[in-house]
Amino acid sequence: MTKRALITGLTGQDGSYLAELLVEKGYEVFGLVRRSSSSNLQRVSHLGKELHILSGDLLDQSSLMDVITESQPDEIYNLASQSYVPLSWTQPALTAEYTALGVSRLLESIRRCKPDARFYQASSSEVFGQPDESPQNERTAFRPRNPYGVAKAYAHWMTINYRTQYNLYACCGITYTHESPRRGAEFVFRKITRTAAMIKLGLATELKLGNIDAVRDWCYAKDVVKAMWLMLQQDVPDDYIIASGKSHSVKELITYAFDAVNLDWEAYVSVDPEFYRPDEAVQLVGAIDKAKKYLNWEPEYSFKQLVELMVESEIKDLSQGK
């Protein structure tokens, strides 16, 4: 019997890669799309008739119930949220409505309409904020430092509460920063790989950045969505950190990106205090021992491979005028 999956946030980076993965695995895939996003389907347009697009909104409980009743999914992946941290400061209430309360509405809709569905909630390393230990694991205390992290913490604990209170199969994946050619251009990883490609092609002359000694845990979005799927294939629902388990500095990222186009980064990169963020006292890096042990998962792509893949994609797109 063909499995059915419902994805919210279908038009985003993760939603598009997850849809590809599930189609490859023979699923019937449904995507929840807000009316305002219905024309923004470039990332999944290549899947064509393999996808069923349904209109709904995390702000509207009745639309969620209708979509779940219509699609009758075996698995539901909630990847929708307002996910740009700086925007969460200028739109804190809207961030809470989508990223926090939207999950409450979705969980309640599952409980009422399809309680046997397996549910994946996209949690985030932003819930740790300024953690008191590094690397972080599934038991590290939450100390979010921005409205997005606060909203994700609410959604995380609401998912766990529905799991225990109503015996739903519900899991949270605490994902660290993950990248791909489908990542938004406003994020620093993409800003670096794209500008390196532009400089190589004569389309730019410099790259301004903030603290290049800042450290992050980065991995490839394709690896991350595989972990999401694996989480819903286990006998018992549980929560996992999804990360590379390794930390890399922005300077390493710059070096690999400019090496990929045979340029000396120091000739083009300048540090601009305008882009500086406060130093993190403790590094955000995820311990993935649990995912390795129980999901038999770890990233297939190394950090260097990811950077090279991104730069290659940027060169291709820019050469085609994209």
Side-chain angles (χ1 to χ4, degrees):
M1 185 173 163
T2 302
K3 274 191 176 181
R4 293 175 158 222
L6 171 65
I7 303 171
T8 75
L10 175 76
T11 59
Q13 167 186 258
D14 294 3
S16 63
Y17 281 119
L18 179 62
E20 284 179 357
L21 177 71
L22 295 176
V23 166
E24 284 171 14
K25 292 185 176 298
Y27 281 65
E28 191 171 355
V29 180
F30 297 82
L32 176 80
V33 175
R34 280 183 295 139
R35 194 171 296 278
S36 60
S37 299
S38 57
S39 60
N40 185 30
L41 295 169
Q42 310 99 296
R43 290 185 175 112
V44 291
S45 59
H46 60 289
L47 294 173
K49 294 178 181 177
E50 302 283 357
L51 284 180
H52 307 286
I53 306 299
L54 301 176
S55 181
D57 199 309
L58 289 177
L59 300 188
D60 181 31
Q61 177 93 44
S62 61
S63 74
L64 297 176
M65 293 174 71
D66 288 346
V67 164
I68 290 171
T69 300
E70 181 179 346
S71 59
Q72 289 294 299
D74 301 292
E75 298 172 5
I76 299 172
Y77 297 85
N78 181 38
L79 310 182
S81 72
Q82 188 302 97
S83 60
Y84 188 46
V85 169
L87 188 62
S88 78
W89 282 111
T90 57
Q91 298 182 348
L94 187 66
T95 298
E97 283 289 350
Y98 275 110
T99 308
L101 296 179
V103 179
S104 284
R105 297 184 191 103
L106 186 52
L107 285 163
E108 185 61 16
S109 300
I110 295 168
R111 184 182 78 82
R112 294 186 190 186
C113 303
K114 194 72 169 63
D116 63 335
R118 297 187 169 198
F119 176 65
Y120 172 86
Q121 165 60 19
S123 198
S124 164
S125 60
E126 288 292 332
V127 299
F128 296 127
Q130 184 130 27
D132 51 14
E133 61 181 347
S134 186
Q136 297 81 48
N137 59 50
E138 291 80 2
R139 296 175 304 282
T140 299
F142 288 7
R143 296 169 63 188
R145 288 193 300 167
N146 55 62
Y148 172 72
V150 171
K152 279 292 189 185
Y154 172 96
H156 182 98
W157 286 112
M158 192 59 78
T159 300
I160 292 171
N161 274 267
Y162 264 71
R163 179 169 75 211
T164 53
Q165 180 71 16
Y166 299 115
N167 200 32
L168 294 184
Y169 189 111
C171 304
C172 295
I174 304 174
T175 57
Y176 281 64
T177 311
H178 46 288
E179 310 290 339
S180 77
R182 299 176 192 176
R183 179 75 146 151
E186 69 273 20
F187 294 95
V188 69
F189 200 108
R190 181 94 196 278
K191 178 182 177 181
I192 291 168
T193 56
R194 188 165 184 82
T195 307
M198 290 174 73
I199 291 171
K200 179 65 176 179
L201 296 173
L203 301 173
T205 56
E206 65 174 344
L207 171 60
K208 290 185 177 181
L209 294 168
N211 181 10
I212 63 173
D213 295 316
V215 169
R216 290 283 180 276
D217 182 326
W218 279 293
C219 58
Y220 186 25
K222 269 194 173 183
D223 284 332
V224 168
V225 300
K226 186 177 180 184
M228 295 176 186
W229 174 77
L230 283 168
M231 284 173 62
L232 295 197
Q233 310 315 307
Q234 307 307 305
D235 292 336
V236 178
D238 206 348
D239 311 311
Y240 295 87
I241 281 180
I242 305 174
S244 73
K246 299 173 183 176
S247 57
H248 297 276
S249 68
V250 174
K251 185 186 283 186
E252 282 180 81
L253 167 53
I254 298 164
T255 302
Y256 284 140
F258 279 81
D259 281 353
V261 289
N262 297 311
L263 293 175
D264 175 10
W265 69 267
E266 294 187 62
Y268 303 97
V269 177
S270 61
V271 172
D272 188 335
E274 182 189 339
F275 298 115
Y276 253 78
R277 281 191 191 176
D279 270 340
E280 286 93 8
V282 178
Q283 290 181 6
L284 267 181
V285 55
I288 59 172
D289 310 59
K290 186 175 175 182
K292 282 183 180 179
K293 182 176 179 180
Y294 294 105
L295 304 179
N296 194 28
W297 176 89
E298 62 183 307
E300 293 179 23
Y301 285 76
S302 70
F303 179 70
K304 185 169 185 279
Q305 286 174 318
L306 173 60
V307 178
E308 290 170 350
L309 174 154
M310 294 275 286
V311 172
E312 187 180 329
S313 174
E314 301 288 6
I315 292 278
K316 183 180 175 184
D317 283 353
L318 289 165
S319 300
Q320 294 173 352
K322 291 184 181 178

